[in-house]
Amino acid sequence: MTDTVDFVVVGGGSGGCAVAGRLSEDPKTSVAVLDAGGRNDNWVVTTPFALALMVPGKINNWAFDTVPQKGLNGRIGYQPRGKGLGGSSAINAMVYIRGHRSDYDQWASLGNPGWSFNDVLPYFKRSEDNADFGGEYHGKGGPLSVNKLRTDNPVQQIFLQAVQEGQFRYREDFNADEHEGLGIYQVTQKNGERWSAARAYIHPHMGSRANLRVETKAHATRILFEGKRAVGVEYRQGKELKQIRARREVIVSSGAFQTPQLLMLSGVGDAAALGKHGIAGVHHLPGVGQNLQDHPDFVFGYMSDNPNFNGISLGGIPRLLRAISQYRRERRGPMTSNFAECGGFLKTRPDLDVPDIQLHFGMAMADDHGRKRHSGTGFSMHVCLLRPKSRGSVALGSADPLAAPLIDPNFLGDPADLETMVAGFKVTRRLLETPALRALQQKDMFTEGVESDDQIRELLRQRVDTVYHPVGTARMGSDPMAVVDARLKVHGLEGLRVVDASVMPTLIGGNTNAPTIMIGEKAADLIKAELRA
């Protein structure tokens, strides 16, 4: 079965949804989106609280593992990634963060014209419909709804009291001229429901745009080439192997793990490595799958008898039933929680130009991504390193397109990362030791008796893992290890672009969903300009 459209977008995640939604605004441009998962338009996705069902398991989740991590005592890490329309924006904690101005200025300085903060700000604003903030940094009327939380959780005020007691800076808006400080996060929600990239850019148009075709349960197996030109995609849907042709371009938006995997399966990557799997090389591009960066994260966990925290307890059942009833009536209350309701950005040293750690204050006691359950209620405090020096990689485990790739974030591989995490641990503990937060703590689950730097280092190696922000494996640049140019076109090939977090040359200092949507918005503009020309 072969069909032909102008653009084939492989992967309906944050970048893919944005670029496909924008390109299909022109009725003369035909776009097909292929996604290996489902439509992701049911209550499990739209109810924010249900992320607790998705992140620990296989619901709408690829649930990848890493290879053993040398810096983490040989432990195997866990990498949840969204599966289905919306990608990871359908299972994430919905925190709306763009990163620091300097992150994008650095991209531009690395030989990527058009990617400075002033260049990308219009695309953040274009995507955004911010219910709370306006002015020069925010957009109104865009497809992506951004709101304050509707949980009405009184613990937020306890957190803000702790911020004051610890003499930390308070920050109301993390996406304005500065973002250092602590406060309450805005989220990608509308009327108390999750607003994924699919809900913003794809779902509203699936029945109404004749030029937009969306194929779910469609697992791309390889990009089709004629010479050096990408001309289509082969994909498996059910038991059938199908092909779809692209008149203009194939756009790969499969994320930081599966974009390099698909490129390599298609013969684009390090020729020697591909040869070991019997894959014929189409184009030697040694940077494919290199430069993986992710935020290493440590979680403090406490049991607490405060009734506004979540957990597993008989006493919590009536509260849960009340919360479900309130959510059905008002779309407010505990079921609208993204768990990571509060947090912010801090410096581990006063001489730093920008914050180097981020906190997420969680309304439940999380252990191993929620995969290890404890009875009772409690809370968590995440601290992650924003600009790690460690670099990892994604490689093929086999030539089987349905097999998972080999993911090596190389957490704490650079000794400097461990030392900054030690400093971040201490800063976070200073917040946790304020009277307001001390009063919430019944039992310290992981850090009791850990005082010396050596004890902290050992605990970090035992417990650090991802906070779900992998990027960089098809990075943008002009040097020999770059995969795409500043227009996101794959070097040395025609008709092939990458539009997702894998193009980021460096990891931004914050959550990666909003920046990936921005990349999709900008890519659509670049393509439209070329079509006009």
mmCIF file of all heavy atoms in Angstrom, residues 5-28:
data_model
loop_
_atom_site.group_PDB
_atom_site.id
_atom_site.type_symbol
_atom_site.label_atom_id
_atom_site.label_comp_id
_atom_site.label_asym_id
_atom_site.label_seq_id
_atom_site.Cartn_x
_atom_site.Cartn_y
_atom_site.Cartn_z
ATOM 1 N N VAL A 5 2.016 12.065 -0.182
ATOM 2 C CA VAL A 5 1.640 13.364 0.379
ATOM 3 C C VAL A 5 2.844 14.291 0.225
ATOM 4 O O VAL A 5 3.932 13.863 -0.155
ATOM 5 C CB VAL A 5 1.251 13.250 1.874
ATOM 6 C CG1 VAL A 5 -0.039 12.455 2.047
ATOM 7 C CG2 VAL A 5 2.369 12.643 2.691
ATOM 8 N N ASP A 6 2.652 15.560 0.545
ATOM 9 C CA ASP A 6 3.779 16.496 0.470
ATOM 10 C C ASP A 6 4.800 16.215 1.574
ATOM 11 O O ASP A 6 5.994 16.112 1.318
ATOM 12 C CB ASP A 6 3.281 17.946 0.592
ATOM 13 C CG ASP A 6 2.472 18.368 -0.622
ATOM 14 O OD1 ASP A 6 2.844 17.985 -1.747
ATOM 15 O OD2 ASP A 6 1.461 19.079 -0.446
ATOM 16 N N PHE A 7 4.314 16.080 2.811
ATOM 17 C CA PHE A 7 5.197 15.892 3.961
ATOM 18 C C PHE A 7 4.756 14.688 4.781
ATOM 19 O O PHE A 7 3.574 14.573 5.114
ATOM 20 C CB PHE A 7 5.192 17.128 4.864
ATOM 21 C CG PHE A 7 5.751 18.360 4.207
ATOM 22 C CD1 PHE A 7 4.911 19.250 3.537
ATOM 23 C CD2 PHE A 7 7.112 18.625 4.247
ATOM 24 C CE1 PHE A 7 5.422 20.371 2.921
ATOM 25 C CE2 PHE A 7 7.632 19.757 3.629
ATOM 26 C CZ PHE A 7 6.790 20.634 2.960
ATOM 27 N N VAL A 8 5.715 13.824 5.111
ATOM 28 C CA VAL A 8 5.455 12.734 6.052
ATOM 29 C C VAL A 8 6.176 13.076 7.347
ATOM 30 O O VAL A 8 7.400 13.265 7.354
ATOM 31 C CB VAL A 8 5.963 11.382 5.516
ATOM 32 C CG1 VAL A 8 5.708 10.286 6.546
ATOM 33 C CG2 VAL A 8 5.275 11.029 4.200
ATOM 34 N N VAL A 9 5.419 13.160 8.429
ATOM 35 C CA VAL A 9 5.993 13.449 9.753
ATOM 36 C C VAL A 9 6.009 12.142 10.538
ATOM 37 O O VAL A 9 4.959 11.544 10.787
ATOM 38 C CB VAL A 9 5.161 14.520 10.495
ATOM 39 C CG1 VAL A 9 5.750 14.786 11.884
ATOM 40 C CG2 VAL A 9 5.101 15.817 9.684
ATOM 41 N N VAL A 10 7.208 11.701 10.923
ATOM 42 C CA VAL A 10 7.354 10.423 11.627
ATOM 43 C C VAL A 10 7.445 10.701 13.120
ATOM 44 O O VAL A 10 8.478 11.107 13.632
ATOM 45 C CB VAL A 10 8.608 9.665 11.152
ATOM 46 C CG1 VAL A 10 8.624 8.276 11.776
ATOM 47 C CG2 VAL A 10 8.641 9.575 9.638
ATOM 48 N N GLY A 11 6.336 10.507 13.828
ATOM 49 C CA GLY A 11 6.287 10.743 15.262
ATOM 50 C C GLY A 11 5.384 11.912 15.602
ATOM 51 O O GLY A 11 5.618 13.034 15.170
ATOM 52 N N GLY A 12 4.343 11.627 16.377
ATOM 53 C CA GLY A 12 3.378 12.663 16.747
ATOM 54 C C GLY A 12 3.627 13.196 18.142
ATOM 55 O O GLY A 12 2.689 13.343 18.931
ATOM 56 N N GLY A 13 4.894 13.475 18.475
ATOM 57 C CA GLY A 13 5.223 14.067 19.765
ATOM 58 C C GLY A 13 5.124 15.578 19.726
ATOM 59 O O GLY A 13 4.491 16.158 18.842
ATOM 60 N N SER A 14 5.789 16.239 20.661
ATOM 61 C CA SER A 14 5.650 17.685 20.794
ATOM 62 C C SER A 14 6.110 18.430 19.542
ATOM 63 O O SER A 14 5.435 19.340 19.070
ATOM 64 C CB SER A 14 6.432 18.169 22.015
ATOM 65 O OG SER A 14 5.918 17.578 23.191
ATOM 66 N N GLY A 15 7.261 18.042 18.987
ATOM 67 C CA GLY A 15 7.743 18.690 17.776
ATOM 68 C C GLY A 15 6.929 18.302 16.555
ATOM 69 O O GLY A 15 6.566 19.153 15.731
ATOM 70 N N GLY A 16 6.626 17.005 16.429
ATOM 71 C CA GLY A 16 5.882 16.511 15.274
ATOM 72 C C GLY A 16 4.478 17.076 15.184
ATOM 73 O O GLY A 16 4.010 17.449 14.107
ATOM 74 N N CYS A 17 3.776 17.150 16.324
ATOM 75 C CA CYS A 17 2.425 17.711 16.320
ATOM 76 C C CYS A 17 2.441 19.174 15.896
ATOM 77 O O CYS A 17 1.613 19.618 15.096
ATOM 78 C CB CYS A 17 1.783 17.594 17.699
ATOM 79 S SG CYS A 17 1.202 15.944 18.099
ATOM 80 N N ALA A 18 3.412 19.928 16.432
ATOM 81 C CA ALA A 18 3.460 21.357 16.121
ATOM 82 C C ALA A 18 3.756 21.595 14.645
ATOM 83 O O ALA A 18 3.078 22.401 13.986
ATOM 84 C CB ALA A 18 4.503 22.051 17.005
ATOM 85 N N VAL A 19 4.737 20.890 14.106
ATOM 86 C CA VAL A 19 5.087 21.129 12.704
ATOM 87 C C VAL A 19 3.969 20.647 11.776
ATOM 88 O O VAL A 19 3.626 21.310 10.796
ATOM 89 C CB VAL A 19 6.466 20.517 12.344
ATOM 90 C CG1 VAL A 19 6.439 19.001 12.271
ATOM 91 C CG2 VAL A 19 6.986 21.101 11.038
ATOM 92 N N ALA A 20 3.357 19.497 12.092
ATOM 93 C CA ALA A 20 2.274 18.974 11.244
ATOM 94 C C ALA A 20 1.040 19.870 11.322
ATOM 95 O O ALA A 20 0.381 20.136 10.306
ATOM 96 C CB ALA A 20 1.919 17.547 11.663
ATOM 97 N N GLY A 21 0.714 20.318 12.531
ATOM 98 C CA GLY A 21 -0.441 21.198 12.692
ATOM 99 C C GLY A 21 -0.285 22.474 11.917
ATOM 100 O O GLY A 21 -1.219 22.944 11.248
ATOM 101 N N ARG A 22 0.896 23.069 11.986
ATOM 102 C CA ARG A 22 1.131 24.343 11.285
ATOM 103 C C ARG A 22 1.206 24.164 9.766
ATOM 104 O O ARG A 22 0.663 24.959 9.009
ATOM 105 C CB ARG A 22 2.420 24.991 11.792
ATOM 106 C CG ARG A 22 2.328 25.552 13.207
ATOM 107 C CD ARG A 22 1.227 26.581 13.357
ATOM 108 N NE ARG A 22 1.312 27.300 14.636
ATOM 109 C CZ ARG A 22 0.352 28.084 15.106
ATOM 110 N NH1 ARG A 22 -0.783 28.234 14.425
ATOM 111 N NH2 ARG A 22 0.491 28.712 16.252
ATOM 112 N N LEU A 23 1.890 23.109 9.284
ATOM 113 C CA LEU A 23 1.991 22.907 7.837
ATOM 114 C C LEU A 23 0.624 22.637 7.217
ATOM 115 O O LEU A 23 0.335 23.074 6.097
ATOM 116 C CB LEU A 23 2.946 21.748 7.524
ATOM 117 C CG LEU A 23 4.436 21.999 7.751
ATOM 118 C CD1 LEU A 23 5.228 20.728 7.464
ATOM 119 C CD2 LEU A 23 4.942 23.162 6.898
ATOM 120 N N SER A 24 -0.238 21.923 7.955
ATOM 121 C CA SER A 24 -1.551 21.569 7.395
ATOM 122 C C SER A 24 -2.552 22.726 7.469
ATOM 123 O O SER A 24 -3.690 22.588 7.029
ATOM 124 C CB SER A 24 -2.112 20.326 8.096
ATOM 125 O OG SER A 24 -2.325 20.574 9.473
ATOM 126 N N GLU A 25 -2.127 23.886 8.000
ATOM 127 C CA GLU A 25 -3.004 25.074 7.961
ATOM 128 C C GLU A 25 -3.273 25.502 6.517
ATOM 129 O O GLU A 25 -4.321 26.068 6.219
ATOM 130 C CB GLU A 25 -2.353 26.233 8.729
ATOM 131 C CG GLU A 25 -2.382 26.060 10.233
ATOM 132 C CD GLU A 25 -1.599 27.140 10.966
ATOM 133 O OE1 GLU A 25 -0.740 27.810 10.350
ATOM 134 O OE2 GLU A 25 -1.839 27.306 12.172
ATOM 135 N N ASP A 26 -2.319 25.226 5.626
ATOM 136 C CA ASP A 26 -2.500 25.547 4.206
ATOM 137 C C ASP A 26 -3.188 24.365 3.533
ATOM 138 O O ASP A 26 -2.609 23.276 3.438
ATOM 139 C CB ASP A 26 -1.134 25.797 3.557
ATOM 140 C CG ASP A 26 -1.252 26.129 2.072
ATOM 141 O OD1 ASP A 26 -2.375 26.048 1.513
ATOM 142 O OD2 ASP A 26 -0.217 26.451 1.464
ATOM 143 N N PRO A 27 -4.424 24.539 3.075
ATOM 144 C CA PRO A 27 -5.153 23.399 2.494
ATOM 145 C C PRO A 27 -4.473 22.806 1.263
ATOM 146 O O PRO A 27 -4.756 21.677 0.877
ATOM 147 C CB PRO A 27 -6.530 23.978 2.146
ATOM 148 C CG PRO A 27 -6.379 25.461 2.184
ATOM 149 C CD PRO A 27 -5.237 25.773 3.090
ATOM 150 N N LYS A 28 -3.543 23.549 0.656
ATOM 151 C CA LYS A 28 -2.847 23.045 -0.534
ATOM 152 C C LYS A 28 -1.656 22.161 -0.171
ATOM 153 O O LYS A 28 -1.047 21.553 -1.047
ATOM 154 C CB LYS A 28 -2.372 24.217 -1.405
ATOM 155 C CG LYS A 28 -3.509 25.061 -1.966
ATOM 156 C CD LYS A 28 -3.046 26.026 -3.049
ATOM 157 C CE LYS A 28 -2.155 27.115 -2.509
ATOM 158 N NZ LYS A 28 -2.903 28.085 -1.655
#
